[in-house]
Amino acid sequence: MKKTDYDVIIIGAGIGGLVCGCYLAKAGLKVLILEKNHNPGGCCCSFKRKGFTFDAGVFSLGDCRPEGNLGKIVSDLGLKKFIALQQLNPTEVIITPKHQIVIGNNLNQIIKEFQNHFPKEKKNIEDFFLFLNSASTGELYTKFRTLSFSQLLESYFHNRQLKEILKTVMATFGKPSTKTSAVTAAIVFKEFVIDGGYYPTEGGTQGLPDALVKCFRESGGKIKQTNLVKKIIVDNGCAKGVVTERNKIFLAKFIVSNIDATQTFVELVGKENLEKKFLKEIKRVEPSISTFMLFLGLKSKISSLQHQCKYTCTLSESVDNVLSEIDKNNLSNIGDNFLISSPSSYDNKLAPINNESVCILVSVPFKDKEFWQKNSQKITNTILGKVERVIPNLRGDVKIKEVATPLTYHKFTCNYNGAACGWAPTPEQVANPVFRHNTPVKNLFLCGHWTLIGFGVSRVSLSGFNTYRLIMSNYINKKRI
């Protein structure tokens, strides 16, 4: 086999892969990123239709304060040279049948808002948010490792409506609170409620991956888009390189996979290069829920939404009942939980003058092509009808409309069953993870949302940083030998 072309090859230009690549390139390593799509960023990307810009899957960023995971990475990599972030205020509005909670962009505002609605829970609310704000991920894991989100809420609160509001925050992740890890929920609250609502001042969420690509190239890294990797070359249990769809071979000392972990091992590495025990472990992994998205270009500005931020909504008195039906693969109450984001309300250049770009997200199970072909239009109308309880007369204002089903996201990301957030956040999978940054294949590493507890850009960014540190340790040790 010929001499290696690169020190590191990264498969996938999602945020984790880009962060990892930037750190490695800045450290002086020769790095190649191979990406199958035209645009970098994975789900953290934006697209344009007839003058409207829509965010494909990420609607805001969290944990961007200076001491936050993403805040540190932005500072380390000098990304402020390429991107400016604004923190919205409020950062989010939570709507339930009986309450509207406005989440401010500082901790005291958040605590006071909940206390104003639930004065009898005043001390419990303060204790809950102050602990989450100060606790490290290690502390959260130690304290809540085996608990469900439901158990965490029961340990702090008595009021049923308060607990329903807090469950609504986690509704878009698709599991009822009894099947959602307390650790995962605590991290989401810490990174997206207490320090959430950040958004690029230009370009939609595509601004972040574009900034990372600029940083990567400026640091000497090389990225090849529209290059699908079809095989990882393994020799004597060691990753040596990759083969692309065009049968181009690239060799490297280390390989990083920033794509779906199941695909990485079963399809790219190949079952013949893995032990049966590990293959059995892969089969037990349950992916997270998938997504049905509506992208709407409106003919006028939305007057019914008082605040310029994302809205997380439920129409049900019991969030868990809705999520339990979805968990059973039942769509009878589809659209009872939904998220609304309007990118053009944060940046008016993302829609034509006096128009609005709107993204609506609903969590759904994965189903086959025939189902979505037959039911997409009916499901779209059902969802729009329910969203009109928050945005009246929405359907009459639609200028353009695009629909993305779980099959769309599967095609775009190759994630197992169109998974929106890696593996399902159950207590069992949090306590006993199958995938880590290290893998059974020597010199093959993972990064991305399959490797860490929690969701979102801040977590996958952290995974990219962690993988960078592992590779540098191995790289330095190799040079010493």
Side-chain angles (χ1 to χ4, degrees):
M1 193 171 284
K2 68 174 184 175
K3 187 179 177 181
T4 57
D5 304 296
Y6 296 91
D7 293 311
V8 184
I9 293 172
I10 299 172
I11 306 168
I15 298 299
L18 289 171
V19 167
C20 183
C22 286
Y23 274 102
L24 290 168
K26 279 184 170 292
L29 275 65
K30 191 177 180 183
V31 186
L32 170 67
I33 298 178
L34 296 170
E35 167 57 42
K36 80 176 186 70
N37 295 321
H38 289 279
N39 283 348
C43 283
C44 186
C45 71
S46 307
F47 65 93
K48 296 180 180 180
R49 294 290 186 273
K50 298 181 180 180
F52 293 89
T53 298
F54 302 104
D55 296 325
V58 172
F59 308 113
S60 66
L61 307 174
D63 214 23
C64 293
R65 53 187 171 183
E67 66 273 23
N69 289 318
L70 190 51
K72 289 177 183 176
I73 287 167
V74 168
S75 177
D76 282 355
L77 297 178
L79 294 184
K80 290 180 182 178
K81 178 179 177 181
F82 306 111
I83 187 173
L85 297 175
Q86 57 183 320
Q87 189 180 24
L88 308 175
N89 191 22
T91 62
E92 181 176 2
V93 174
I94 304 166
I95 295 178
T96 67
K98 294 181 179 177
H99 291 273
Q100 179 168 302
I101 304 292
V102 180
I103 305 295
N105 67 359
N106 73 69
L107 183 59
N108 288 333
Q109 277 185 319
I110 295 167
I111 291 172
K112 287 179 180 178
E113 173 75 359
F114 277 97
Q115 288 176 334
N116 288 341
H117 284 264
F118 301 99
K120 292 183 179 180
E121 296 270 20
K122 183 176 181 180
K123 180 68 166 55
N124 296 331
I125 290 167
E126 183 176 35
D127 289 346
F128 178 75
F129 283 105
L130 288 180
F131 173 72
L132 294 185
N133 182 57
S134 62
S136 67
T137 301
E139 287 177 273
L140 295 174
Y141 189 78
T142 300
K143 188 167 184 178
F144 303 142
R145 178 174 175 266
T146 60
L147 296 183
S148 69
F149 181 34
S150 175
Q151 289 171 314
L152 172 61
L153 294 178
E154 293 297 330
S155 71
Y156 273 94
F157 305 113
H158 305 288
N159 188 284
R160 182 182 180 279
Q161 290 181 28
L162 172 56
K163 287 182 281 189
E164 287 300 317
I165 291 167
L166 298 173
K167 288 176 185 178
T168 303
V169 173
M170 294 296 295
T172 54
F173 300 111
K175 283 282 184 186
S177 63
T178 54
K179 293 185 177 181
T180 296
S181 164
V183 182
T184 301
I187 291 172
V188 169
F189 274 84
K190 182 179 176 69
E191 297 187 356
F192 282 95
V193 177
I194 294 175
D195 188 37
Y198 294 88
Y199 197 83
T201 56
E202 294 185 2
T205 55
Q206 185 69 55
L208 179 60
D210 286 351
L212 286 164
V213 169
K214 289 175 184 176
C215 171
F216 179 63
R217 285 177 168 152
E218 187 180 79
S219 303
K222 188 172 183 180
I223 182 169
K224 290 179 178 286
Q225 285 142 255
T226 65
N227 268 267
L228 175 68
V229 173
K230 69 175 186 180
K231 182 178 176 61
I232 295 173
I233 300 168
V234 179
D235 184 24
N236 289 324
C238 181
K240 299 288 188 179
V242 301
V243 182
T244 70
E245 184 177 46
R246 301 166 189 169
N247 291 320
K248 181 79 173 177
I249 295 173
F250 297 98
L251 303 180
K253 298 180 181 75
F254 303 100
I255 309 297
V256 176
S257 178
N258 184 51
I259 65 171
D260 173 81
T262 301
Q263 182 194 6
T264 297
F265 293 110
V266 175
E267 296 182 25
L268 302 190
V269 170
K271 296 178 182 180
E272 68 277 8
N273 293 306
L274 298 166
E275 293 184 359
K276 290 182 180 179
K277 182 180 178 181
F278 184 67
L279 288 170
K280 286 182 180 179
E281 287 288 287
I282 293 174
K283 288 181 180 179
R284 80 166 172 84
V285 175
E286 179 188 359
S288 61
I289 200 73
S290 194
T291 296
F292 189 95
M293 285 284 302
L294 298 178
F295 303 102
L296 309 177
L298 303 185
K299 291 180 278 189
S300 61
K301 292 290 184 180
I302 301 173
S303 60
S304 57
L305 300 184
Q306 181 183 354
H307 303 287
Q308 294 177 330
C309 62
K310 69 178 180 181
Y311 279 67
T312 303
C313 312
T314 184
L315 305 178
S316 174
E317 295 285 350
S318 173
V319 176
D320 278 349
N321 284 350
V322 177
L323 296 174
S324 293
E325 290 304 308
I326 293 173
D327 203 36
K328 296 172 186 173
N329 217 23
N330 184 351
L331 294 177
S332 60
N333 52 18
I334 191 169
D336 280 1
N337 299 331
F338 55 88
L339 183 150
I340 305 169
S341 174
S342 175
S344 58
S345 70
Y346 323 140
D347 175 3
N348 59 20
K349 296 186 290 297
L350 301 183
I353 295 173
N354 295 322
N355 287 194
E356 200 86 277
S357 58
V358 175
C359 310
I360 299 169
L361 179 152
V362 175
S363 295
V364 294
F366 190 79
K367 290 180 179 287
D368 62 23
K369 184 177 180 179
E370 182 181 354
F371 174 87
W372 295 114
Q373 286 178 335
K374 182 179 178 181
N375 294 286
S376 284
Q377 187 58 53
K378 179 182 177 182
I379 289 171
T380 296
N381 290 334
T382 298
I383 292 170
L384 289 174
K386 292 182 178 181
V387 174
E388 282 189 326
R389 300 191 198 181
V390 177
I391 309 176
N393 306 313
L394 175 64
R395 283 173 285 191
D397 201 32
V398 174
K399 186 175 182 179
I400 67 166
K401 176 178 65 182
E402 283 219 9
V403 175
T405 73
L407 291 179
T408 312
Y409 285 98
H410 176 69
K411 181 179 179 181
F412 182 66
T413 65
C414 293
N415 282 350
Y416 179 46
N417 280 3
C421 304
W423 39 278
T426 63
E428 295 77 18
Q429 294 196 144
V430 167
N432 302 288
V434 171
F435 302 121
R436 297 175 175 83
H437 295 90
N438 281 308
T439 78
V441 180
K442 189 178 179 183
N443 295 342
L444 173 63
F445 299 88
L446 300 182
C447 69
H449 57 191
W450 297 92
T451 61
L452 279 179
I453 302 166
F455 304 118
V457 171
S458 60
R459 303 306 292 170
V460 296
S461 297
L462 177 60
S463 81
F465 174 74
N466 289 344
T467 303
Y468 145 75
R469 289 200 304 178
L470 274 172
I471 289 174
M472 288 306 299
S473 175
N474 280 266
Y475 180 77
I476 291 167
N477 287 336
K478 273 194 171 187
K479 290 189 77 173
R480 285 174 179 165
I481 296 173

